[in-house]
Amino acid sequence: MDDIVRAALKKWPQVPACHGWLGLDARGDWYMRDDRVQAAGPFPQVKGSRLLHQKLVEFIGRNYEADADGAWFFQNGPQRVYVELEAAPLVLGVQRIAEDYRVQTHTGADVTQVRSAWLDEHGRLFLDTDLGFGLLRSLDMDAAADAVNEGRWAPAERPFAELPARFGYVLSPQRAGLPGAGA
């Protein structure tokens, strides 16, 4: 977490949480969802405006984490901005480097351990890692297929609907009615 964010939390500890205004899609892109977009429908059916400002995207990534209920949020100064997730709290990229594989989150953090791999009914590959649970980007499926074929990851099958509860995350903190929802 950025020092400026820690300082704001100390100065204003009681700022209400914000829900519904930020979404993370299956490609690892952030979306701003204003009142009009939220009224038009839930995320990801209605995504909103994709955030393109690189410094803002990096700031969100550095200050992105989960609460005790498994709801992921961006700590924006003193305010928690809870995130609507399309599929998983992390979106993972994988690259083959020599005889090994590098797995990295959409926030730029390097994964050091893949604990398990999972396939859902749509053929999407998810990894349980030391940094959390994530969906593999479709762009990187060739490298991931190589890792599976080499026996590095042995995906088990599980319906998508079971993944959030099994891996302790919340797709929509707003719809889940967590504290501060609707604020």
Side-chain angles (χ1 to χ4, degrees), residues 80-108:
R80 277 189 179 181
V81 179
Y82 281 94
V83 178
E84 300 291 304
L85 304 173
E86 182 171 351
L90 300 176
V91 179
L92 305 169
V94 63
Q95 295 176 324
R96 182 171 196 137
I97 300 174
E99 297 300 314
D100 205 1
Y101 293 89
R102 177 181 184 203
V103 179
Q104 193 172 53
T105 70
H106 69 283
T107 64

PDB file of all heavy atoms in Angstrom, residues 80-108:
ATOM      1  N   ARG A  80     -12.409   2.848   0.918  1.00  0.00           N
ATOM      2  CA  ARG A  80     -12.349   1.555   0.244  1.00  0.00           C
ATOM      3  C   ARG A  80     -13.337   1.569  -0.914  1.00  0.00           C
ATOM      4  O   ARG A  80     -14.522   1.828  -0.728  1.00  0.00           O
ATOM      5  CB  ARG A  80     -12.751   0.427   1.190  1.00  0.00           C
ATOM      6  CG  ARG A  80     -11.647  -0.030   2.054  1.00  0.00           C
ATOM      7  CD  ARG A  80     -12.022  -1.288   2.805  1.00  0.00           C
ATOM      8  NE  ARG A  80     -10.873  -1.663   3.612  1.00  0.00           N
ATOM      9  CZ  ARG A  80     -10.817  -2.719   4.386  1.00  0.00           C
ATOM     10  NH1 ARG A  80     -11.864  -3.537   4.464  1.00  0.00           N
ATOM     11  NH2 ARG A  80      -9.736  -2.987   5.085  1.00  0.00           N
ATOM     12  N   VAL A  81     -12.826   1.252  -2.085  1.00  0.00           N
ATOM     13  CA  VAL A  81     -13.662   1.139  -3.273  1.00  0.00           C
ATOM     14  C   VAL A  81     -13.720  -0.351  -3.611  1.00  0.00           C
ATOM     15  O   VAL A  81     -12.757  -0.914  -4.130  1.00  0.00           O
ATOM     16  CB  VAL A  81     -13.086   1.961  -4.449  1.00  0.00           C
ATOM     17  CG1 VAL A  81     -13.954   1.804  -5.687  1.00  0.00           C
ATOM     18  CG2 VAL A  81     -12.937   3.430  -4.055  1.00  0.00           C
ATOM     19  N   TYR A  82     -14.845  -0.980  -3.270  1.00  0.00           N
ATOM     20  CA  TYR A  82     -14.991  -2.411  -3.509  1.00  0.00           C
ATOM     21  C   TYR A  82     -15.132  -2.688  -5.002  1.00  0.00           C
ATOM     22  O   TYR A  82     -15.747  -1.911  -5.739  1.00  0.00           O
ATOM     23  CB  TYR A  82     -16.173  -2.976  -2.723  1.00  0.00           C
ATOM     24  CG  TYR A  82     -15.808  -3.188  -1.279  1.00  0.00           C
ATOM     25  CD1 TYR A  82     -16.079  -2.219  -0.322  1.00  0.00           C
ATOM     26  CD2 TYR A  82     -15.153  -4.347  -0.889  1.00  0.00           C
ATOM     27  CE1 TYR A  82     -15.706  -2.406   1.007  1.00  0.00           C
ATOM     28  CE2 TYR A  82     -14.784  -4.551   0.424  1.00  0.00           C
ATOM     29  CZ  TYR A  82     -15.067  -3.569   1.370  1.00  0.00           C
ATOM     30  OH  TYR A  82     -14.682  -3.765   2.669  1.00  0.00           O
ATOM     31  N   VAL A  83     -14.562  -3.801  -5.444  1.00  0.00           N
ATOM     32  CA  VAL A  83     -14.446  -4.124  -6.861  1.00  0.00           C
ATOM     33  C   VAL A  83     -15.419  -5.234  -7.244  1.00  0.00           C
ATOM     34  O   VAL A  83     -15.494  -6.272  -6.582  1.00  0.00           O
ATOM     35  CB  VAL A  83     -12.991  -4.544  -7.195  1.00  0.00           C
ATOM     36  CG1 VAL A  83     -12.853  -4.940  -8.661  1.00  0.00           C
ATOM     37  CG2 VAL A  83     -12.016  -3.426  -6.838  1.00  0.00           C
ATOM     38  N   GLU A  84     -16.131  -5.007  -8.334  1.00  0.00           N
ATOM     39  CA  GLU A  84     -16.982  -6.017  -8.947  1.00  0.00           C
ATOM     40  C   GLU A  84     -16.082  -6.866  -9.842  1.00  0.00           C
ATOM     41  O   GLU A  84     -15.347  -6.331 -10.679  1.00  0.00           O
ATOM     42  CB  GLU A  84     -18.078  -5.359  -9.790  1.00  0.00           C
ATOM     43  CG  GLU A  84     -19.000  -4.437  -9.001  1.00  0.00           C
ATOM     44  CD  GLU A  84     -19.887  -5.198  -8.040  1.00  0.00           C
ATOM     45  OE1 GLU A  84     -20.619  -6.101  -8.488  1.00  0.00           O
ATOM     46  OE2 GLU A  84     -19.847  -4.888  -6.839  1.00  0.00           O
ATOM     47  N   LEU A  85     -16.099  -8.172  -9.649  1.00  0.00           N
ATOM     48  CA  LEU A  85     -15.215  -9.074 -10.382  1.00  0.00           C
ATOM     49  C   LEU A  85     -15.988  -9.854 -11.441  1.00  0.00           C
ATOM     50  O   LEU A  85     -17.060 -10.391 -11.148  1.00  0.00           O
ATOM     51  CB  LEU A  85     -14.568 -10.072  -9.418  1.00  0.00           C
ATOM     52  CG  LEU A  85     -13.794  -9.488  -8.242  1.00  0.00           C
ATOM     53  CD1 LEU A  85     -13.364 -10.604  -7.290  1.00  0.00           C
ATOM     54  CD2 LEU A  85     -12.591  -8.696  -8.741  1.00  0.00           C
ATOM     55  N   GLU A  86     -15.422  -9.960 -12.632  1.00  0.00           N
ATOM     56  CA  GLU A  86     -16.053 -10.784 -13.659  1.00  0.00           C
ATOM     57  C   GLU A  86     -15.851 -12.263 -13.370  1.00  0.00           C
ATOM     58  O   GLU A  86     -16.778 -13.058 -13.522  1.00  0.00           O
ATOM     59  CB  GLU A  86     -15.494 -10.455 -15.043  1.00  0.00           C
ATOM     60  CG  GLU A  86     -16.165 -11.258 -16.141  1.00  0.00           C
ATOM     61  CD  GLU A  86     -15.802 -10.801 -17.534  1.00  0.00           C
ATOM     62  OE1 GLU A  86     -15.158  -9.757 -17.704  1.00  0.00           O
ATOM     63  OE2 GLU A  86     -16.194 -11.519 -18.474  1.00  0.00           O
ATOM     64  N   ALA A  87     -14.643 -12.648 -12.936  1.00  0.00           N
ATOM     65  CA  ALA A  87     -14.372 -14.075 -12.767  1.00  0.00           C
ATOM     66  C   ALA A  87     -13.535 -14.404 -11.539  1.00  0.00           C
ATOM     67  O   ALA A  87     -13.769 -15.422 -10.900  1.00  0.00           O
ATOM     68  CB  ALA A  87     -13.685 -14.641 -14.004  1.00  0.00           C
ATOM     69  N   ALA A  88     -12.538 -13.587 -11.230  1.00  0.00           N
ATOM     70  CA  ALA A  88     -11.612 -13.885 -10.129  1.00  0.00           C
ATOM     71  C   ALA A  88     -10.937 -12.581  -9.687  1.00  0.00           C
ATOM     72  O   ALA A  88     -10.903 -11.611 -10.450  1.00  0.00           O
ATOM     73  CB  ALA A  88     -10.559 -14.897 -10.575  1.00  0.00           C
ATOM     74  N   PRO A  89     -10.392 -12.560  -8.483  1.00  0.00           N
ATOM     75  CA  PRO A  89      -9.747 -11.341  -7.999  1.00  0.00           C
ATOM     76  C   PRO A  89      -8.430 -11.018  -8.691  1.00  0.00           C
ATOM     77  O   PRO A  89      -7.997  -9.869  -8.694  1.00  0.00           O
ATOM     78  CB  PRO A  89      -9.526 -11.601  -6.515  1.00  0.00           C
ATOM     79  CG  PRO A  89      -9.618 -13.062  -6.340  1.00  0.00           C
ATOM     80  CD  PRO A  89     -10.484 -13.585  -7.441  1.00  0.00           C
ATOM     81  N   LEU A  90      -7.791 -12.017  -9.268  1.00  0.00           N
ATOM     82  CA  LEU A  90      -6.551 -11.794 -10.000  1.00  0.00           C
ATOM     83  C   LEU A  90      -6.720 -12.294 -11.425  1.00  0.00           C
ATOM     84  O   LEU A  90      -7.421 -13.285 -11.667  1.00  0.00           O
ATOM     85  CB  LEU A  90      -5.387 -12.537  -9.344  1.00  0.00           C
ATOM     86  CG  LEU A  90      -5.068 -12.164  -7.895  1.00  0.00           C
ATOM     87  CD1 LEU A  90      -3.965 -13.059  -7.347  1.00  0.00           C
ATOM     88  CD2 LEU A  90      -4.684 -10.694  -7.784  1.00  0.00           C
ATOM     89  N   VAL A  91      -6.079 -11.608 -12.345  1.00  0.00           N
ATOM     90  CA  VAL A  91      -5.994 -12.075 -13.722  1.00  0.00           C
ATOM     91  C   VAL A  91      -4.511 -12.309 -13.967  1.00  0.00           C
ATOM     92  O   VAL A  91      -3.682 -11.441 -13.705  1.00  0.00           O
ATOM     93  CB  VAL A  91      -6.597 -11.061 -14.707  1.00  0.00           C
ATOM     94  CG1 VAL A  91      -6.462 -11.568 -16.133  1.00  0.00           C
ATOM     95  CG2 VAL A  91      -8.069 -10.814 -14.362  1.00  0.00           C
ATOM     96  N   LEU A  92      -4.197 -13.508 -14.404  1.00  0.00           N
ATOM     97  CA  LEU A  92      -2.810 -13.954 -14.468  1.00  0.00           C
ATOM     98  C   LEU A  92      -2.305 -14.077 -15.898  1.00  0.00           C
ATOM     99  O   LEU A  92      -3.032 -14.554 -16.778  1.00  0.00           O
ATOM    100  CB  LEU A  92      -2.676 -15.315 -13.777  1.00  0.00           C
ATOM    101  CG  LEU A  92      -3.182 -15.372 -12.336  1.00  0.00           C
ATOM    102  CD1 LEU A  92      -3.247 -16.807 -11.854  1.00  0.00           C
ATOM    103  CD2 LEU A  92      -2.301 -14.526 -11.435  1.00  0.00           C
ATOM    104  N   GLY A  93      -1.071 -13.681 -16.071  1.00  0.00           N
ATOM    105  CA  GLY A  93      -0.387 -13.885 -17.326  1.00  0.00           C
ATOM    106  C   GLY A  93       0.711 -14.912 -17.100  1.00  0.00           C
ATOM    107  O   GLY A  93       1.242 -15.021 -15.999  1.00  0.00           O
ATOM    108  N   VAL A  94       1.043 -15.664 -18.133  1.00  0.00           N
ATOM    109  CA  VAL A  94       2.124 -16.648 -18.019  1.00  0.00           C
ATOM    110  C   VAL A  94       3.014 -16.541 -19.251  1.00  0.00           C
ATOM    111  O   VAL A  94       2.528 -16.355 -20.364  1.00  0.00           O
ATOM    112  CB  VAL A  94       1.589 -18.085 -17.832  1.00  0.00           C
ATOM    113  CG1 VAL A  94       0.782 -18.545 -19.018  1.00  0.00           C
ATOM    114  CG2 VAL A  94       2.703 -19.063 -17.546  1.00  0.00           C
ATOM    115  N   GLN A  95       4.307 -16.598 -19.004  1.00  0.00           N
ATOM    116  CA  GLN A  95       5.297 -16.583 -20.082  1.00  0.00           C
ATOM    117  C   GLN A  95       6.258 -17.740 -19.873  1.00  0.00           C
ATOM    118  O   GLN A  95       6.638 -18.028 -18.736  1.00  0.00           O
ATOM    119  CB  GLN A  95       6.127 -15.302 -20.060  1.00  0.00           C
ATOM    120  CG  GLN A  95       5.378 -14.040 -20.329  1.00  0.00           C
ATOM    121  CD  GLN A  95       6.300 -12.834 -20.190  1.00  0.00           C
ATOM    122  OE1 GLN A  95       7.176 -12.806 -19.344  1.00  0.00           O
ATOM    123  NE2 GLN A  95       6.083 -11.852 -21.034  1.00  0.00           N
ATOM    124  N   ARG A  96       6.636 -18.333 -20.971  1.00  0.00           N
ATOM    125  CA  ARG A  96       7.670 -19.364 -20.887  1.00  0.00           C
ATOM    126  C   ARG A  96       9.015 -18.660 -20.979  1.00  0.00           C
ATOM    127  O   ARG A  96       9.259 -17.882 -21.893  1.00  0.00           O
ATOM    128  CB  ARG A  96       7.529 -20.378 -21.997  1.00  0.00           C
ATOM    129  CG  ARG A  96       8.570 -21.458 -21.849  1.00  0.00           C
ATOM    130  CD  ARG A  96       8.362 -22.613 -22.769  1.00  0.00           C
ATOM    131  NE  ARG A  96       9.179 -23.700 -22.237  1.00  0.00           N
ATOM    132  CZ  ARG A  96       8.786 -24.930 -22.147  1.00  0.00           C
ATOM    133  NH1 ARG A  96       7.593 -25.267 -22.533  1.00  0.00           N
ATOM    134  NH2 ARG A  96       9.592 -25.858 -21.661  1.00  0.00           N
ATOM    135  N   ILE A  97       9.879 -18.944 -20.003  1.00  0.00           N
ATOM    136  CA  ILE A  97      11.221 -18.379 -19.981  1.00  0.00           C
ATOM    137  C   ILE A  97      12.181 -19.548 -19.826  1.00  0.00           C
ATOM    138  O   ILE A  97      12.234 -20.173 -18.760  1.00  0.00           O
ATOM    139  CB  ILE A  97      11.383 -17.355 -18.845  1.00  0.00           C
ATOM    140  CG1 ILE A  97      10.384 -16.226 -19.036  1.00  0.00           C
ATOM    141  CG2 ILE A  97      12.814 -16.842 -18.785  1.00  0.00           C
ATOM    142  CD1 ILE A  97      10.327 -15.221 -17.927  1.00  0.00           C
ATOM    143  N   ALA A  98      12.902 -19.838 -20.903  1.00  0.00           N
ATOM    144  CA  ALA A  98      13.813 -20.986 -20.944  1.00  0.00           C
ATOM    145  C   ALA A  98      13.033 -22.259 -20.600  1.00  0.00           C
ATOM    146  O   ALA A  98      12.068 -22.587 -21.264  1.00  0.00           O
ATOM    147  CB  ALA A  98      15.017 -20.771 -20.039  1.00  0.00           C
ATOM    148  N   GLU A  99      13.404 -22.926 -19.523  1.00  0.00           N
ATOM    149  CA  GLU A  99      12.746 -24.184 -19.139  1.00  0.00           C
ATOM    150  C   GLU A  99      11.710 -23.989 -18.043  1.00  0.00           C
ATOM    151  O   GLU A  99      11.246 -24.959 -17.452  1.00  0.00           O
ATOM    152  CB  GLU A  99      13.795 -25.200 -18.670  1.00  0.00           C
ATOM    153  CG  GLU A  99      14.770 -25.594 -19.762  1.00  0.00           C
ATOM    154  CD  GLU A  99      14.076 -26.241 -20.956  1.00  0.00           C
ATOM    155  OE1 GLU A  99      13.218 -27.110 -20.757  1.00  0.00           O
ATOM    156  OE2 GLU A  99      14.397 -25.847 -22.095  1.00  0.00           O
ATOM    157  N   ASP A 100      11.352 -22.751 -17.755  1.00  0.00           N
ATOM    158  CA  ASP A 100      10.423 -22.477 -16.661  1.00  0.00           C
ATOM    159  C   ASP A 100       9.298 -21.562 -17.143  1.00  0.00           C
ATOM    160  O   ASP A 100       9.278 -21.128 -18.297  1.00  0.00           O
ATOM    161  CB  ASP A 100      11.175 -21.833 -15.485  1.00  0.00           C
ATOM    162  CG  ASP A 100      10.491 -22.073 -14.150  1.00  0.00           C
ATOM    163  OD1 ASP A 100       9.438 -22.753 -14.120  1.00  0.00           O
ATOM    164  OD2 ASP A 100      10.996 -21.579 -13.141  1.00  0.00           O
ATOM    165  N   TYR A 101       8.386 -21.265 -16.240  1.00  0.00           N
ATOM    166  CA  TYR A 101       7.251 -20.401 -16.552  1.00  0.00           C
ATOM    167  C   TYR A 101       7.201 -19.271 -15.533  1.00  0.00           C
ATOM    168  O   TYR A 101       7.373 -19.496 -14.342  1.00  0.00           O
ATOM    169  CB  TYR A 101       5.943 -21.195 -16.519  1.00  0.00           C
ATOM    170  CG  TYR A 101       5.880 -22.209 -17.622  1.00  0.00           C
ATOM    171  CD1 TYR A 101       6.378 -23.493 -17.431  1.00  0.00           C
ATOM    172  CD2 TYR A 101       5.379 -21.866 -18.867  1.00  0.00           C
ATOM    173  CE1 TYR A 101       6.353 -24.421 -18.461  1.00  0.00           C
ATOM    174  CE2 TYR A 101       5.357 -22.790 -19.900  1.00  0.00           C
ATOM    175  CZ  TYR A 101       5.847 -24.060 -19.683  1.00  0.00           C
ATOM    176  OH  TYR A 101       5.832 -24.971 -20.700  1.00  0.00           O
ATOM    177  N   ARG A 102       6.939 -18.072 -16.021  1.00  0.00           N
ATOM    178  CA  ARG A 102       6.774 -16.906 -15.150  1.00  0.00           C
ATOM    179  C   ARG A 102       5.291 -16.564 -15.133  1.00  0.00           C
ATOM    180  O   ARG A 102       4.681 -16.343 -16.182  1.00  0.00           O
ATOM    181  CB  ARG A 102       7.568 -15.722 -15.680  1.00  0.00           C
ATOM    182  CG  ARG A 102       7.375 -14.472 -14.855  1.00  0.00           C
ATOM    183  CD  ARG A 102       8.155 -13.330 -15.427  1.00  0.00           C
ATOM    184  NE  ARG A 102       8.029 -12.159 -14.583  1.00  0.00           N
ATOM    185  CZ  ARG A 102       8.219 -10.945 -15.016  1.00  0.00           C
ATOM    186  NH1 ARG A 102       8.572 -10.715 -16.263  1.00  0.00           N
ATOM    187  NH2 ARG A 102       8.067  -9.933 -14.193  1.00  0.00           N
ATOM    188  N   VAL A 103       4.711 -16.542 -13.936  1.00  0.00           N
ATOM    189  CA  VAL A 103       3.312 -16.177 -13.768  1.00  0.00           C
ATOM    190  C   VAL A 103       3.281 -14.840 -13.049  1.00  0.00           C
ATOM    191  O   VAL A 103       3.966 -14.637 -12.042  1.00  0.00           O
ATOM    192  CB  VAL A 103       2.537 -17.244 -12.952  1.00  0.00           C
ATOM    193  CG1 VAL A 103       1.082 -16.840 -12.770  1.00  0.00           C
ATOM    194  CG2 VAL A 103       2.635 -18.604 -13.635  1.00  0.00           C
ATOM    195  N   GLN A 104       2.474 -13.911 -13.579  1.00  0.00           N
ATOM    196  CA  GLN A 104       2.405 -12.566 -13.025  1.00  0.00           C
ATOM    197  C   GLN A 104       0.944 -12.128 -12.969  1.00  0.00           C
ATOM    198  O   GLN A 104       0.149 -12.460 -13.845  1.00  0.00           O
ATOM    199  CB  GLN A 104       3.218 -11.623 -13.917  1.00  0.00           C
ATOM    200  CG  GLN A 104       3.494 -10.273 -13.315  1.00  0.00           C
ATOM    201  CD  GLN A 104       4.454  -9.479 -14.185  1.00  0.00           C
ATOM    202  OE1 GLN A 104       4.222  -9.320 -15.380  1.00  0.00           O
ATOM    203  NE2 GLN A 104       5.509  -8.974 -13.584  1.00  0.00           N
ATOM    204  N   THR A 105       0.589 -11.370 -11.931  1.00  0.00           N
ATOM    205  CA  THR A 105      -0.778 -10.865 -11.794  1.00  0.00           C
ATOM    206  C   THR A 105      -0.989  -9.643 -12.687  1.00  0.00           C
ATOM    207  O   THR A 105      -0.028  -9.022 -13.144  1.00  0.00           O
ATOM    208  CB  THR A 105      -1.091 -10.455 -10.348  1.00  0.00           C
ATOM    209  OG1 THR A 105      -0.344  -9.273 -10.027  1.00  0.00           O
ATOM    210  CG2 THR A 105      -0.777 -11.573  -9.366  1.00  0.00           C
ATOM    211  N   HIS A 106      -2.245  -9.287 -12.874  1.00  0.00           N
ATOM    212  CA  HIS A 106      -2.584  -8.100 -13.656  1.00  0.00           C
ATOM    213  C   HIS A 106      -2.059  -6.820 -12.997  1.00  0.00           C
ATOM    214  O   HIS A 106      -1.979  -5.785 -13.640  1.00  0.00           O
ATOM    215  CB  HIS A 106      -4.101  -8.003 -13.871  1.00  0.00           C
ATOM    216  CG  HIS A 106      -4.870  -7.710 -12.631  1.00  0.00           C
ATOM    217  ND1 HIS A 106      -5.129  -8.674 -11.671  1.00  0.00           N
ATOM    218  CD2 HIS A 106      -5.407  -6.572 -12.169  1.00  0.00           C
ATOM    219  CE1 HIS A 106      -5.814  -8.124 -10.690  1.00  0.00           C
ATOM    220  NE2 HIS A 106      -5.991  -6.854 -10.964  1.00  0.00           N
ATOM    221  N   THR A 107      -1.677  -6.899 -11.722  1.00  0.00           N
ATOM    222  CA  THR A 107      -1.118  -5.731 -11.027  1.00  0.00           C
ATOM    223  C   THR A 107       0.404  -5.680 -11.137  1.00  0.00           C
ATOM    224  O   THR A 107       1.025  -4.766 -10.619  1.00  0.00           O
ATOM    225  CB  THR A 107      -1.519  -5.732  -9.539  1.00  0.00           C
ATOM    226  OG1 THR A 107      -0.939  -6.884  -8.909  1.00  0.00           O
ATOM    227  CG2 THR A 107      -3.031  -5.741  -9.363  1.00  0.00           C
ATOM    228  N   GLY A 108       0.998  -6.672 -11.788  1.00  0.00           N
ATOM    229  CA  GLY A 108       2.441  -6.693 -11.994  1.00  0.00           C
ATOM    230  C   GLY A 108       3.237  -7.472 -10.965  1.00  0.00           C
ATOM    231  O   GLY A 108       4.465  -7.515 -11.027  1.00  0.00           O
TER     232      GLY A 108
END
